[in-house]
Coordinates of all heavy atoms in Angstrom, one line a residue:
L30 N 137.5 125.1 96.5 CA 137.3 125.3 97.9 C 136.8 123.9 98.4 O 135.6 123.7 98.5 CB 136.3 126.4 98.2 CG 136.7 127.8 97.8 CD1 135.5 128.7 98.1 CD2 137.9 128.2 98.6
W31 N 137.8 123.0 98.7 CA 137.5 121.6 99.1 C 137.0 120.8 97.9 O 137.5 119.8 97.5 CB 136.6 121.5 100.3 CG 136.4 120.1 100.7 CD1 137.4 119.3 101.2 CD2 135.2 119.4 100.8 NE1 136.9 118.1 101.5 CE2 135.5 118.1 101.3 CE3 133.9 119.7 100.6 CZ2 134.6 117.1 101.6 CZ3 132.9 118.7 100.8 CH2 133.3 117.5 101.3
L32 N 135.9 121.3 97.3 CA 135.4 120.7 96.0 C 136.1 121.4 94.9 O 136.2 122.6 94.8 CB 133.9 120.9 95.9 CG 133.0 120.2 97.0 CD1 131.5 120.6 96.8 CD2 133.2 118.7 96.9
R33 N 136.6 120.6 94.0 CA 137.5 121.1 92.9 C 136.7 121.2 91.6 O 136.3 120.2 91.1 CB 138.7 120.3 92.7 CG 139.6 120.2 94.0 CD 140.7 119.2 93.8 NE 140.2 117.8 93.6 CZ 140.9 116.8 93.3 NH1 142.3 116.9 93.1 NH2 140.4 115.6 93.1
F34 N 136.5 122.4 91.1 CA 135.7 122.6 89.9 C 136.6 123.0 88.7 O 136.1 123.3 87.6 CB 134.6 123.6 90.1 CG 133.5 123.2 91.0 CD1 133.6 123.5 92.4 CD2 132.5 122.4 90.5 CE1 132.6 123.1 93.2 CE2 131.5 122.0 91.4 CZ 131.5 122.4 92.8
E35 N 137.9 123.1 88.9 CA 138.8 123.6 87.8 C 138.9 122.7 86.6 O 139.2 123.1 85.5 CB 140.2 123.9 88.3 CG 141.0 122.7 88.8 CD 140.8 122.4 90.3 OE1 139.9 123.0 90.8 OE2 141.6 121.7 90.8
Q36 N 138.6 121.4 86.9 CA 138.7 120.4 85.8 C 137.3 120.1 85.2 O 137.2 119.3 84.2 CB 139.3 119.1 86.2 CG 140.8 119.3 86.6 CD 141.5 118.0 87.0 OE1 140.8 117.0 87.1 NE2 142.8 118.0 87.2
F37 N 136.3 120.6 85.8 CA 134.9 120.4 85.3 C 134.7 121.2 84.0 O 135.2 122.3 83.8 CB 133.9 120.9 86.3 CG 133.3 119.8 87.1 CD1 134.1 118.9 87.8 CD2 131.9 119.6 87.2 CE1 133.6 117.9 88.6 CE2 131.4 118.6 88.0 CZ 132.3 117.8 88.7
P38 N 134.0 120.6 83.0 CA 133.7 121.3 81.8 C 132.6 122.3 82.1 O 131.7 122.1 83.0 CB 133.2 120.3 80.8 CG 132.7 119.2 81.7 CD 133.6 119.2 82.9
T39 N 132.6 123.4 81.4 CA 131.5 124.5 81.6 C 130.2 124.0 80.9 O 130.2 123.1 80.1 CB 132.0 125.8 81.1 OG1 132.1 125.7 79.7 CG2 133.3 126.2 81.7
V40 N 129.2 124.8 81.2 CA 127.9 124.5 80.6 C 128.0 124.7 79.1 O 127.5 123.9 78.3 CB 126.8 125.4 81.2 CG1 125.5 125.2 80.5 CG2 126.6 125.1 82.7
G41 N 128.7 125.7 78.7 CA 128.9 126.0 77.2 C 129.6 124.8 76.5 O 129.3 124.4 75.4
E42 N 130.7 124.3 77.2 CA 131.4 123.2 76.6 C 130.6 121.9 76.5 O 130.6 121.2 75.4 CB 132.7 122.9 77.4 CG 133.7 124.0 77.4 CD 134.8 123.7 78.4 OE1 134.7 122.9 79.3 OE2 135.9 124.4 78.3
V43 N 129.8 121.6 77.5 CA 128.9 120.5 77.4 C 127.8 120.7 76.3 O 127.5 119.7 75.6 CB 128.3 120.2 78.8 CG1 127.2 119.1 78.7 CG2 129.3 119.9 79.8
A44 N 127.3 121.9 76.3 CA 126.2 122.1 75.2 C 126.8 122.0 73.8 O 126.2 121.4 72.9 CB 125.7 123.5 75.5
G45 N 128.1 122.5 73.6 CA 128.7 122.4 72.3 C 129.0 120.9 72.0 O 128.8 120.5 70.8
A46 N 129.4 120.1 73.0 CA 129.7 118.7 72.7 C 128.4 118.0 72.4 O 128.3 117.1 71.6 CB 130.4 118.1 73.9
F47 N 127.3 118.3 73.1 CA 126.0 117.7 72.9 C 125.5 118.0 71.5 O 125.0 117.1 70.8 CB 125.0 118.2 73.9 CG 123.7 117.5 73.9 CD1 123.5 116.3 74.5 CD2 122.6 118.0 73.1 CE1 122.3 115.6 74.5 CE2 121.4 117.3 73.0 CZ 121.2 116.2 73.7
A48 N 125.6 119.2 71.1 CA 125.2 119.6 69.7 C 126.0 118.9 68.7 O 125.5 118.4 67.6 CB 125.3 121.1 69.5
E49 N 127.3 118.7 68.9 CA 128.1 118.0 68.0 C 127.8 116.5 67.9 O 127.7 115.9 66.8 CB 129.6 118.1 68.4 CG 130.6 117.5 67.4 CD 132.0 117.7 67.9 OE1 132.2 118.4 68.8 OE2 132.9 117.0 67.3
R50 N 127.5 115.9 69.1 CA 127.2 114.5 69.1 C 125.8 114.2 68.5 O 125.6 113.2 67.8 CB 127.1 114.0 70.6 CG 128.5 114.0 71.3 CD 129.3 112.8 70.9 NE 130.6 112.7 71.5 CZ 130.8 112.1 72.7 NH1 129.8 111.5 73.3 NH2 132.0 112.1 73.2
A51 N 124.8 115.1 68.7 CA 123.5 114.9 68.2 C 123.4 114.9 66.7 O 122.4 114.4 66.2 CB 122.6 116.0 68.8
G52 N 124.4 115.4 66.1 CA 124.4 115.4 64.6 C 125.1 114.2 64.0 O 125.3 114.1 62.8
T53 N 125.4 113.2 64.8 CA 126.1 112.0 64.3 C 125.2 110.8 64.5 O 124.4 110.7 65.4 CB 127.4 111.8 65.1 OG1 127.2 111.6 66.5 CG2 128.4 113.0 65.0
G54 N 125.5 109.8 63.7 CA 124.7 108.5 63.7 C 124.9 107.7 65.0 O 124.0 107.2 65.6
P55 N 126.2 107.6 65.5 CA 126.4 106.7 66.7 C 125.6 107.2 67.9 O 125.2 106.4 68.7 CB 127.9 106.8 66.9 CG 128.5 107.1 65.5 CD 127.5 107.9 64.8
F56 N 125.4 108.5 68.0 CA 124.7 109.0 69.2 C 123.3 108.4 69.2 O 122.8 107.9 70.2 CB 124.7 110.5 69.2 CG 123.8 111.1 70.3 CD1 124.3 111.3 71.5 CD2 122.5 111.5 70.0 CE1 123.6 111.8 72.6 CE2 121.7 112.1 71.0 CZ 122.3 112.3 72.3
W57 N 122.6 108.5 68.1 CA 121.2 108.0 68.0 C 121.2 106.5 68.1 O 120.2 105.9 68.5 CB 120.6 108.5 66.8 CG 120.5 110.0 66.8 CD1 121.2 110.9 66.1 CD2 119.6 110.8 67.6 NE1 120.9 112.2 66.4 CE2 119.9 112.2 67.3 CE3 118.6 110.5 68.5 CZ2 119.2 113.2 67.9 CZ3 117.9 111.5 69.1 CH2 118.2 112.9 68.8
Q58 N 122.2 105.8 67.6 CA 122.3 104.4 67.7 C 122.4 103.9 69.2 O 121.8 103.0 69.6 CB 123.5 103.8 66.9 CG 123.6 102.3 66.9 CD 124.8 101.8 66.1 OE1 125.6 102.6 65.6 NE2 124.8 100.5 65.9
D59 N 123.3 104.6 69.9 CA 123.4 104.4 71.3 C 122.1 104.6 72.1 O 121.7 103.9 72.9 CB 124.5 105.2 71.9 CG 125.9 104.9 71.4 OD1 126.1 103.7 71.0 OD2 126.8 105.7 71.4
L60 N 121.4 105.7 71.7 CA 120.1 106.1 72.3 C 119.1 105.0 72.1 O 118.4 104.5 73.0 CB 119.6 107.4 71.7 CG 118.7 108.2 72.6 CD1 119.4 108.7 73.8 CD2 118.1 109.4 71.8
A61 N 119.0 104.5 70.8 CA 118.0 103.5 70.5 C 118.4 102.2 71.2 O 117.4 101.5 71.7 CB 118.0 103.2 69.0
S62 N 119.6 101.8 71.3 CA 120.0 100.6 72.0 C 119.6 100.6 73.5 O 119.1 99.7 74.0 CB 121.5 100.4 71.9 OG 121.9 100.2 70.5
S63 N 119.9 101.7 74.1 CA 119.5 101.8 75.6 C 118.0 101.8 75.8 O 117.5 101.1 76.7 CB 120.1 103.1 76.2 OG 121.5 103.1 76.2
L64 N 117.3 102.5 74.9 CA 115.8 102.5 75.0 C 115.2 101.1 74.8 O 114.3 100.7 75.4 CB 115.2 103.6 74.1 CG 115.3 105.0 74.5 CD1 114.8 105.9 73.4 CD2 114.5 105.3 75.8
R65 N 115.8 100.4 73.8 CA 115.3 99.1 73.5 C 115.5 98.2 74.7 O 114.6 97.4 75.1 CB 116.0 98.5 72.2 CG 115.5 97.2 71.8 CD 116.1 96.7 70.6 NE 117.6 96.5 70.7 CZ 118.5 97.3 70.2 NH1 118.1 98.3 69.4 NH2 119.8 97.0 70.4
R66 N 116.7 98.2 75.3 CA 117.0 97.4 76.4 C 116.1 97.7 77.6 O 115.6 96.8 78.3 CB 118.4 97.5 76.8 CG 119.4 97.0 75.8 CD 120.8 97.5 75.9 NE 121.7 96.9 74.9 CZ 122.9 97.4 74.7 NH1 123.4 98.5 75.4 NH2 123.7 96.8 73.8
I67 N 115.9 99.0 77.9 CA 115.1 99.4 79.1 C 113.7 99.1 78.9 O 113.0 98.6 79.8 CB 115.3 100.9 79.4 CG1 114.9 101.2 80.8 CG2 114.5 101.8 78.4 CD1 115.9 100.8 81.8
V68 N 113.1 99.3 77.7 CA 111.7 99.0 77.5 C 111.4 97.5 77.5 O 110.5 97.0 78.2 CB 111.3 99.5 76.1 CG1 109.9 99.0 75.7 CG2 111.3 101.1 76.1
T69 N 112.3 96.7 77.0 CA 112.1 95.2 77.0 C 112.3 94.7 78.4 O 111.4 93.9 78.9 CB 113.2 94.5 76.1 OG1 113.1 95.1 74.8 CG2 112.9 93.0 76.0
G70 N 113.3 95.1 79.1 CA 113.5 94.6 80.5 C 112.4 95.1 81.4 O 112.0 94.3 82.3
F71 N 112.0 96.3 81.3 CA 111.0 96.9 82.2 C 109.7 96.2 81.9 O 108.9 96.0 82.9 CB 110.9 98.4 82.0 CG 109.9 99.0 82.9 CD1 110.2 99.1 84.3 CD2 108.8 99.6 82.4 CE1 109.2 99.7 85.1 CE2 107.8 100.2 83.3 CZ 108.1 100.2 84.6
A72 N 109.3 96.0 80.7 CA 108.0 95.4 80.4 C 108.0 94.0 80.9 O 107.0 93.6 81.5 CB 107.8 95.3 78.9
L73 N 109.1 93.2 80.8 CA 109.1 91.9 81.4 C 109.0 91.9 82.9 O 108.3 91.1 83.5 CB 110.4 91.2 81.0 CG 110.5 90.7 79.5 CD1 111.9 90.2 79.2 CD2 109.5 89.7 79.2
A74 N 109.7 92.9 83.5 CA 109.6 93.0 85.0 C 108.2 93.4 85.5 O 107.8 92.9 86.5 CB 110.7 94.1 85.4
A75 N 107.6 94.3 84.7 CA 106.2 94.7 85.1 C 105.2 93.5 85.1 O 104.5 93.3 86.0 CB 105.7 95.8 84.2
V76 N 105.3 92.7 84.0 CA 104.4 91.6 83.9 C 104.7 90.5 85.0 O 103.8 90.1 85.7 CB 104.5 91.0 82.5 CG1 103.6 89.7 82.4 CG2 104.0 91.9 81.5

Side-chain angles (χ1 to χ4, degrees):
L30 297 174
W31 185 59
L32 295 177
R33 301 173 298 174
F34 292 95
E35 67 268 15
Q36 294 183 354
F37 261 53
T39 65
V40 176
E42 292 173 345
V43 175
F47 186 87
E49 182 180 352
R50 294 280 181 92
T53 62
F56 175 82
W57 297 104
Q58 183 180 9
D59 292 335
L60 204 68
S62 297
S63 294
L64 282 174
R65 182 177 65 250
R66 293 161 179 167
I67 200 75
V68 170
T69 305
F71 181 71
L73 290 173
V76 173

